[in-house]
Amino acid sequence: MPREIIILECTEAKEAGMPTSRYVTTRNKKSVRTPGRLEKVKFNHFMKKRTLHREIR
């Protein structure tokens, strides 16, 4: 199976001391576009705005 399940966690909520929002998604293991950790801008329900979410391992 070439896709793996990953968890994206908010980076800005940690710094602010608020609860972190998490999203579950999949990514292609063999993609040359994303060799490192995946980063996406997603909506954080606790902060009520769009923030940067980074892959955790």
Side-chain angles (χ1 to χ4, degrees):
M1 189 163 143
R3 298 194 74 78
E4 66 180 341
I5 297 172
I6 61 169
I7 299 171
L8 300 173
E9 185 177 60
C10 182
T11 57
E12 296 178 25
K14 277 186 175 180
E15 297 168 2
M18 299 180 81
T20 59
S21 72
R22 290 186 174 178
Y23 285 91
V24 177
T25 187
T26 61
R27 77 174 214 173
N28 189 351
K29 287 182 182 180
K30 299 179 181 180
S31 176
V32 294
R33 294 172 139 183
T34 56
R37 292 189 180 187
L38 186 66
E39 294 181 350
K40 286 191 172 187
V41 176
K42 303 289 273 181
F43 186 76
N44 185 332
H45 297 281
F46 300 108
M47 299 180 82
K48 305 269 193 272
K49 64 179 183 176
R50 293 172 53 134
T51 59
L52 180 68
H53 286 66
R54 189 171 291 136
E55 176 184 349
I56 61 172
R57 295 190 183 192

